[in-house]
């Protein structure tokens, strides 16, 4: 069997002021054929899975380009078309093939293309024809469109948030595609629109149980796969919102009934699927220090993983002067400040303008007297895969230690701090710029985890987001039960 694999994606916050260009992909992840690393990437699991199966099954695998960019604003048209056409050209050169497996994000928006994934998969289907098994692995924070589903035999999303199961979902995708190629499986996809926008943490609470129950359904009654599509709330496109996708082995009525049942259950949990959000001031007023570890506070509204700049000063301004609290915060994106601190050197004290550079949601820059107390060149952190932070410095501003990074990235692990000599367990409070991906890295050291929602690019009060393109009645913008719009 001959398999073609490739990857192209980014998560587009259409409200972000940061354009996504070719340099965004070059900076974060751009591997051409022959350049792919020997370890798995969270955004290119199909490539890794295909490699492993090739040796065991004597497959021929053609690896196309792998291109992913850190979440930001709309991708330039020239960048998307160039990378898309590069991969399509590689596929054309590889024909004929039996299987095409793509990894994309599902919420990529380019100038002129609100549905980049649907556009890509439609072009692939036209190129390979109806007799080739075509599959797509997505992040659950995607906009699941009819074009994506119609052009593929199987769409699989990660089930966990944080996304710790990308390899398992890649295996799931290839199990289905292999069955299609061998003639043992004929897939049928059913989608249920939950008509809501939300955030869904799977580490605890009702979503953890819901995910486990969904997993238990797979492999029974011809159900091959169930995907809980969270949706990406900060992408202004028509197909925004939460959905359930059920793939069966030629059992349409079974899939439709199950998708409807699960979708209604998920809608019934609205408003209960994520942690309670507090203002940063409320978080700090609740502090009860414990020998069990620091309080970890997530600055959710300035999460680079959702396209926010990561240079907001609101949290830092709130923390300054709250002595005797020992605080560390990071990573705060400010490549200019990093270069100035590197030039000054370890131990230097200098007047420094920090953060607040990318626009109104970043707040005002802070002019501070800072001591350079840590430095790391080419810093990385563990996560779903190794995450680059670029050159990093630690500065002391009064009672607060701040990690400044030259590359935009959210906090995944304690290495954000330990890279520059800060031991987060020595702190009373650790503030991370992240919404949920920090959880697995910081939960083991935390006495408590709090989620702060303040000014920033990623407000979770979706009634305040200025959507223009969506025309469906969605909760919470419409408070009446949205499911009354569905057939009873």
């Amino acid at each position: 069997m001959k398999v073609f694999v490739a990857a192209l994606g980014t998560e587009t916050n259409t409200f972000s002021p940061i354009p996504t260009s070719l340099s965004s992909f070059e900076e974060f992840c751009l591997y051409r054929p022959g350049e792919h690393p020997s370890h798995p990437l969270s955004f290119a699991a199909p490539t890794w899975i295909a490699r492993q199966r090739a040796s065991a099954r004597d497959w021929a695998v053609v690896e196309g380009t792998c291109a992913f960019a850190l979440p930001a604003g709309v991708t330039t048209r020239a960048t998307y078309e160039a990378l898309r056409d590069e991969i399509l050209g590689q596929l054309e050169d590889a024909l004929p093939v039996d299987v095409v497996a793509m990894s994309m994000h599902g919420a990529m928006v380019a100038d002129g293309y609100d549905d980049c994934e649907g556009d890509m998969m439609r072009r692939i289907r036209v190129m390979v024809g109806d007799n080739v098994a075509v599959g797509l692995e997505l992040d659950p924070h995607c906009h699941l469109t009819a074009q994506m589903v119609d052009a593929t035999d199987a769409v699989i999303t990660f089930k966990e948030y944080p996304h710790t199961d990308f390899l398992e979902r890649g295996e799931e995708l290839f199990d289905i595609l292999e069955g299609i190629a061998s003639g043992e499986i004929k897939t049928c996809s059913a989608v249920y629109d939950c008509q809501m926008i939300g955030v869904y943490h799977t580490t605890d609470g009702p979503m953890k149980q819901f995910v486990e129950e969904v997993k238990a359904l797979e492999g029974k009654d011809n159900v091959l796969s169930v995907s809980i599509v969270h949706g990406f709330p900060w992408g202004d496109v028509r197909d925004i919102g939460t959905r359930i996708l059920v793939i069966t082995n030629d059992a349409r009525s079974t899939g439709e009934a199950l998708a409807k049942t699960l979708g209604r259950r998920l809608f019934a949990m609205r408003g209960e699927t994520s942690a309670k959000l507090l203002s940063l001031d409320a978080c700090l007023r609740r502090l009860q220090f414990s020998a069990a570890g620091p309080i970890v506070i997530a600055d959710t509204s300035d999460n680079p993983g959702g396209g926010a700049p990561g240079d907001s000063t609101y949290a830092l301004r709130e923390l300054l002067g709250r002595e005797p609290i020992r605080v560390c915060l990071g990573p705060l994106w400010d490549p200019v400040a990093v270069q100035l601190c590197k030039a000054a050197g370890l131990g230097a004290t200098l007047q420094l303008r920090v953060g607040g550079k990318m626009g109104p949601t970043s707040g005002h820059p802070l002019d501070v007297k800072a001591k350079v107390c840590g430095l790391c060149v080419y810093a990385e952190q563990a996560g779903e895969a190794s995450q680059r932070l670029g050159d990093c410095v630690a500065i002391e501003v009064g009672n607060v230690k701040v990690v400044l990074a030259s590359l935009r990235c959210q906090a995944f692990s304690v290495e954000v701090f330990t890279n520059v000599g800060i031991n987060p367990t020595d702190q009373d409070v650790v503030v991370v710029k992240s919404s949920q991906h920090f959880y697995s890295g910081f939960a083991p050291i935390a006495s408590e985890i709090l989620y702060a929602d303040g000014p920033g690019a990623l407000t979770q009060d979706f009634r305040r987001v200025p959507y223009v393109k969506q025309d469906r009645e969605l909760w919470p913008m419409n408070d009446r039960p949205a499911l009354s719009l569905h057939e009873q």
Side-chain angles (χ1 to χ4, degrees), residues 155-207:
V155 175
I156 306 290
T157 71
F158 312 149
K159 286 184 170 64
E160 302 294 344
Y161 178 39
H163 308 321
T164 55
D165 61 331
F166 54 92
L167 287 178
E168 290 90 336
R169 301 289 76 78
E171 296 279 6
E172 183 179 320
L173 179 64
F174 265 103
D175 285 345
I176 293 173
L177 294 178
E178 192 172 355
I180 295 169
S182 66
E184 298 174 3
I185 289 175
K186 181 181 178 182
T187 56
C188 182
S189 296
V191 178
Y192 188 82
D193 182 357
C194 299
Q195 295 199 351
M196 65 177 176
I197 298 173
V199 174
Y200 309 91
H201 293 175
T202 64
T203 50
D204 52 23
M207 281 304 296

Side-chain angles (χ1 to χ4, degrees), residues 5-7 36 44-52 61 63-66 101 103 174:
V5 287
H36 296 71
T47 297
W48 176 259
I49 302 301
R51 283 183 181 178
Q52 309 313 302
V61 175
E63 297 181 2
T65 293
C66 171
S103 176
F174 265 103

Side-chain angles (χ1 to χ4, degrees), residues 350-382:
L350 69 161
Q351 292 297 132
L352 194 65
R353 175 162 285 190
V354 175
K357 295 179 173 64
M358 286 308 301
T361 62
S362 297
H364 295 295
L366 289 181
D367 293 309
V368 299
K369 185 177 182 180
K371 178 181 179 180
V372 182
C373 59
L375 171 64
C376 182
V377 178
Y378 303 125
E380 295 186 346
Q381 60 175 325

Side-chain angles (χ1 to χ4, degrees), residues 203-348:
T203 50
D204 52 23
M207 281 304 296
K208 182 175 182 179
Q209 180 179 352
F210 188 61
V211 169
E212 291 304 315
E213 292 177 4
V214 162
K215 289 179 181 178
L217 296 169
E218 296 173 324
K220 302 174 183 176
D221 300 323
N222 288 312
V223 176
L224 301 174
S225 171
V226 180
S227 290
I228 305 164
V229 178
H230 298 195
F232 183 61
W234 300 280
D236 187 18
V237 298
R238 187 179 65 83
D239 291 291
I240 191 173
T242 304
R243 291 171 170 80
I244 298 291
L245 168 62
V246 176
I247 301 175
T248 61
N249 187 7
D250 201 21
R252 182 175 298 278
S253 59
T254 297
E256 290 175 348
L258 180 58
K260 182 176 182 179
T261 297
L262 294 175
R264 286 177 174 269
R265 281 189 56 195
L266 188 54
F267 183 80
M269 291 187 274
R270 64 196 181 279
E272 302 175 0
T273 59
S274 63
K276 182 179 180 181
L277 294 173
L278 303 169
S279 68
L280 185 62
D281 179 67
C283 288
L284 294 175
R285 283 191 277 108
R286 282 182 44 168
L287 296 184
Q288 294 181 347
F289 303 121
S290 167
I295 307 293
V296 174
I297 300 175
D299 183 6
T300 65
S301 58
D302 193 35
N303 170 26
D311 74 336
S312 166
T313 57
Y314 293 107
L316 180 56
R317 189 183 299 274
E318 191 77 32
L319 292 165
L320 289 174
R322 286 185 179 259
E323 298 181 7
I325 300 173
R326 297 169 299 171
V327 184
C328 62
L329 177 150
L332 191 149
W333 180 48
D334 195 330
V336 173
V338 169
Q339 290 303 314
L340 292 174
C341 289
K342 284 177 61 180
L346 279 173

